[in-house]
Amino acid sequence: MNNAQIADILDAIASLLELKGEERFKVVAYQRAARAIALHPKEMVLALKEGDDLRAIPGIGKSIAEKIEELVRSGRLEYFEELKAQFPPGVTELLHIPGVGPKTALKLVQELGVTSLEELEAAVADGRVAGLPGLGAKSAENIERRLRELRAKERRIPLGAALPIAEELLAGLRQVPGVRQASAAGSLRRFRETVGDIDLMGTADDPPAAIAAFVALPQVKAALAQGPTKATVLVHSGLQVDLRLVEHQDFGSLLQHFTGSKEHNVALREWARRRGYSVSEYGIAEIASGRVHHFQREEEVYRFLGLQFIPPEIREARGEIELAARGALPRLVEADDIRGDLHAHTDWTDGQDSLEAMVRAARERGYAYLAITDHSVGRGITNGLSVERLREQRKLLQSVEQQVGGIRVFHGTEVDIRADGTLDYPDEVLAELDVVVASLHSALQQPAERMTERVLRALANPHVDVFGHPSARLLGERPPVELDWEAVFHQASRTGVALEINASPGRLDLKDVHVSRARELGCRFLVNTDAHAARHFAAIRYGVGVARRAWCESQHILNSRPLAEFEDFLYHRQVVSGL
Ligand SMILES: [Zn+2]
Ligand SMILES: [Zn+2]
C-alpha cells in the first residue's frame, strides 16, 4: 500500500466521521493526517521497515500512527471497515468527488441508489439529482461542475505545454493599454509537473476594455464566457484559460490567494489568525478592530505577516511558513544559476542539430560548459555510436571547442544500462570520456527487485558520473520503472554519482518528491535538458522548477557550480565502488 492509497483511506475516514456527527477536531485530525501522508516523501512501508517513528511527522498522532501501521502491515484497517459498515455501500465512493459532502453522498445513495461516479453523472444529466428534496437545481449544477472539473483533472496538461501558452497570453495582455499587472496563478505558477487549467490574473484601469482585448488575442479560438472582469477562453491548442481582473489595490492578496496551494493558504490563515489577523483574497483584516489592509504586491502580504517571501514552488504546507517566520527559507536554485548542460545529443545519433550548432547555442546561453552525450552503440534505433565513431566524434569535438571558444566542451556518452546492469561500452572506452550518463532505455518492465539490482550494479561502475532520467517515465505516456528508490539514493549518496533532474517537459524525471528525499539523503543533482536540438536548451527552467519544488539550493545542483568546481566533481570525485 503506497502513501497515496493510505491518504485516501484517511480522507474517507474523515468524511465518514463527519457523517456520523463526530466532533470536528476528530474529523480535522484525519484530514490533516491524510495530507501529511500524501506529501510525505518517504513511503510508509519503508519508514516502518526502518523503524521510523511516524509520530515525528507533523499531523500524525499516536492513534493515527497505529492505524497507518495496521494498514501497511495487513493491507486493511479494522476501524475503517467497521465505520464503512455503518453506511450503505457506495457512500465512500461518492466521497471522492470534491464538493460532494458526506451528507449529500448519503442522500444520493439512499434516495437514488447512486454508487459510482458514472451513475452520478447519469443522475445529474436526467434531472434526478435536481429533483431531490433538499438538493435542487443549484446543487445539481454545482455537482455537475465538480464532476466536469474532476474529469478535466484526469486530463491534466504537462507544464511544458501550458506554460508557453500562458506566457504568450500574458505578453499579449500586457500590451493592452491600461493593464498594469498580469501573472499566472495556480499550479502553473507553482511549477507542478502537470496542471488542470490555466489561471491568469491581472489589473486594468478599464477592466471591460481589457477583457475585450484579451478575448480578441490571436491565440484565442473562442470565448466560452465573458463578463466585465472575467473571461474564460479556449486557445487553439484546446486548452481552457481563465482570466480574472481585480482592483489594483488588491492584486497582491488575490495573486497570493489564487496561487495556492490550498493547503499552504490554510496554514497561512491559521498562522495569521493566531496573531490576530484574518487573511483572505481581499486583504488582511485585524480581527480586533476589523481594519482591513490591502496589498498591491504579493511580497507585501508576506511581509505584513512577518514572513519572508515564500516562492510559489514551495507553497505546499511543508513547514515553509515556520521557516519564513525565522528568516530561514532556503535560497532556492534559479535558472540563471545554471552554468552548463551535461546531457545533449547531436545529429551523430538521434539529435537534430550538428555538434557545432549545439556548442554555439550553449555558448550563446552563456554556459561555461557543455557535455555532448550521444547514445551508445546498443541503441540501434537511434544510430548509437560505435567505439570508432565515438573516437572520431571526440576529434571533431575538440576542434569545435577551439573554434567556438569561451566554453568548455566535455566529451560524454549516454550509455545504455543493459538488462543485466552492465553498460553498453567496455570500461576502457568509458575511461576515455569526461562524462558518462548511464540511462535505462529498454527492459523497463522488470520487477522492482531485478530493476534495483540492475541499477545498483550500473551505478557501481566507477566511470559512471550521472544516472540519467532515473525513472524513465514519459509524462502521460509511460509509467516510471519500479525501483527501490531508497536503495538507489543511498548508493548515489555514497558513491557521489549525480542524479539527473531531466528537464525535458515530457519527462521531468526525477520528480519533485523523489528529489526531495534524495536531497535529504545527501545526493547531488544535475539539471539537464537532454536536448535533441539547440532550441531544447531553453527547457532547463522546467527542471529548475522541479529542483525548487524539492527545496534545492545551488549547492545541491552540480551544474550551477563554476567550471573548476564542476571539474572537481568529474575528475576527483572520491569513487567508492558499491560492489
Ligand atoms: Zn535517454
Ligand atoms: Zn538523452
Side-chain angles (χ1 to χ4, degrees):
M1 184 163 291
N2 64 33
N3 286 0
Q5 291 165 314
I6 296 170
D8 270 352
I9 291 177
L10 295 174
D11 250 337
I13 292 174
S15 300
L16 293 174
L17 290 174
E18 196 177 340
L19 205 48
K20 259 186 86 176
E22 288 280 354
E23 288 190 74
R24 187 76 199 138
F25 78 90
K26 224 171 149 182
V27 174
V28 171
Y30 278 95
Q31 285 168 342
R32 280 191 62 200
R35 175 74 191 160
I37 298 302
L39 280 174
H40 197 67
K42 192 168 174 181
E43 288 294 329
M44 289 298 110
V45 182
L46 275 164
L48 289 170
K49 206 158 80 184
E50 292 174 7
D52 294 2
D53 185 356
L54 302 188
R55 287 172 301 177
I57 304 169
I60 307 293
K62 178 163 178 287
S63 144
I64 294 182
E66 284 168 6
K67 292 189 174 71
I68 293 171
E69 216 172 314
E70 185 183 335
L71 264 174
V72 170
R73 300 218 189 281
S74 70
R76 60 179 268 136
L77 176 61
E78 203 46 46
Y79 177 73
F80 181 48
E81 300 302 323
E82 281 167 18
L83 205 53
K84 267 200 297 191
Q86 298 171 32
F87 299 95
V91 169
T92 36
E93 174 80 16
L94 296 188
L95 288 174
H96 291 300
I97 304 166
V100 174
K103 297 213 168 67
T104 307
L106 188 60
K107 191 173 280 186
L108 290 166
V109 173
Q110 284 175 336
E111 313 208 357
L112 297 179
V114 165
T115 59
S116 71
L117 203 94
E118 290 71 25
E119 286 172 15
L120 181 58
E121 276 171 333
V124 168
D126 65 19
R128 278 181 292 151
V129 173
L132 265 185
L135 276 183
K138 190 116 194 257
S139 301
E141 228 171 75
N142 201 17
I143 291 174
E144 192 185 2
R145 186 169 52 82
R146 296 298 197 152
L147 284 170
R148 237 190 0 248
E149 284 170 6
L150 193 67
R151 290 299 194 195
K153 219 171 170 179
E154 288 166 5
R155 296 186 305 264
R156 289 178 71 86
I157 318 145
L159 176 70
L163 191 58
I165 292 169
E167 285 172 338
E168 276 182 36
L169 290 171
L170 287 170
L173 190 61
R174 288 188 188 111
Q175 300 290 311
V176 176
V179 168
R180 283 203 244 163
Q181 305 255 32
S183 171
S187 49
L188 183 65
R189 184 161 179 244
R190 302 198 318 277
F191 266 76
R192 285 278 307 269
E193 62 190 33
T194 59
V195 301
D197 51 15
I198 300 178
D199 288 312
L200 305 182
M201 307 203 34
T203 74
D205 296 335
D206 181 355
I211 292 285
F214 175 74
V215 301
L217 286 176
Q219 292 84 359
V220 173
K221 188 175 167 197
L224 301 177
Q226 185 179 346
T229 60
K230 279 189 204 176
T232 299
V233 300
L234 207 59
V235 295
H236 288 290
S237 59
L239 296 180
Q240 193 171 311
V241 182
D242 290 321
L243 170 66
R244 176 191 306 256
L245 295 177
V246 302
E247 296 291 328
H248 293 303
Q249 64 161 12
D250 291 327
F251 184 72
S253 281
L254 275 134
L255 181 60
Q256 195 286 320
H257 178 81
F258 284 104
T259 295
S261 67
K262 213 198 286 166
E263 292 73 17
H264 170 83
N265 286 351
V266 167
L268 186 71
R269 281 200 290 272
E270 176 59 23
W271 198 89
R273 199 187 50 76
R274 278 188 260 129
R275 284 155 186 81
Y277 296 110
S278 152
V279 177
S280 78
E281 60 262 54
Y282 306 110
I284 298 179
E286 295 174 15
I287 294 170
S289 67
R291 183 173 164 223
V292 180
H293 300 258
H294 296 273
F295 303 94
Q296 279 192 30
R297 286 157 40 86
E298 198 186 39
E299 290 85 343
E300 296 163 2
V301 175
Y302 288 98
R303 194 183 308 138
F304 182 87
L305 294 170
L307 301 171
Q308 269 180 298
F309 178 73
I310 300 177
E313 294 93 334
I314 61 170
R315 296 185 194 168
E316 298 287 350
R318 302 193 56 190
E320 67 273 15
I321 292 170
E322 293 71 15
L323 283 179
R326 304 205 320 261
L329 282 179
R331 189 203 159 279
L332 302 180
V333 63
E334 290 175 23
D336 283 347
D337 294 335
I338 300 297
R339 299 178 199 236
D341 200 318
L342 286 304
H343 186 165
H345 299 275
T346 72
D347 57 9
W348 281 61
T349 59
D350 61 347
Q352 295 165 23
D353 288 326
S354 70
L355 197 154
E356 182 176 341
M358 295 301 279
V359 173
R360 287 197 184 279
R363 163 94 214 266
E364 268 161 40
R365 290 186 67 79
Y367 282 166
Y369 44 94
L370 168 73
I372 297 297
T373 57
D374 272 315
H375 289 289
S376 61
V377 64
R379 298 286 289 149
I381 47 160
T382 52
N383 192 24
L385 299 183
S386 65
V387 174
E388 292 69 39
R389 288 186 72 224
L390 186 69
R391 287 178 178 149
E392 205 182 311
Q393 187 186 49
R394 187 181 190 84
K395 284 186 207 135
L396 173 68
L397 183 141
Q398 283 163 344
S399 82
V400 167
E401 182 182 32
Q402 274 202 334
Q403 267 172 36
V404 175
I407 181 167
R408 174 81 175 93
V409 186
F410 297 117
H411 194 210
T413 178
E414 180 179 14
V415 67
D416 249 34
I417 301 175
R418 293 179 184 143
D420 63 357
T422 58
L423 299 175
D424 203 25
Y425 285 128
D427 277 0
E428 60 271 23
V429 172
L430 296 176
E432 294 170 16
L433 296 163
D434 302 303
V435 177
V436 174
V437 180
S439 304
L440 299 163
H441 292 112
S442 55
L444 301 176
Q445 313 278 356
Q446 288 176 341
E449 206 167 313
R450 213 164 140 213
M451 184 62 90
T452 304
E453 262 174 48
R454 171 185 180 185
V455 166
L456 292 182
R457 181 170 184 198
L459 300 193
N461 183 311
H463 299 294
V464 171
D465 303 296
V466 188
F467 183 20
H469 48 71
S471 86
R473 74 164 176 180
L474 295 176
L475 268 176
E477 283 174 45
R478 189 170 72 204
V481 295
E482 287 184 23
L483 203 51
D484 179 346
W485 291 108
E486 288 284 309
V488 172
F489 296 161
H490 275 292
Q491 168 146 330
S493 152
R494 198 157 40 85
T495 59
V497 170
L499 299 173
E500 181 175 78
I501 299 173
N502 192 295
S504 167
R507 289 191 185 269
L508 295 185
D509 179 9
L510 284 176
K511 62 186 283 170
D512 50 10
V513 288
H514 283 146
V515 175
S516 181
R517 178 62 185 154
R519 180 180 51 71
E520 283 173 3
L521 292 175
C523 294
R524 288 185 301 172
F525 308 90
L526 287 170
V527 181
N528 291 328
T529 57
D530 198 354
H532 283 68
R535 66 177 189 284
H536 294 166
F537 285 134
I540 194 78
R541 60 181 177 156
Y542 301 114
V544 172
V546 173
R548 289 169 64 85
R549 287 184 57 80
W551 297 49
C552 285
E553 302 182 61
S554 168
Q555 58 177 340
H556 302 116
I557 307 297
L558 287 162
N559 54 327
S560 74
R561 312 315 301 159
L563 177 62
E565 202 179 314
F566 185 75
E567 285 183 321
D568 264 356
F569 155 72
L570 276 188
Y571 303 126
H572 309 296
R573 176 163 58 90
Q574 208 173 357
V575 176
V576 187
S577 174
L579 288 180

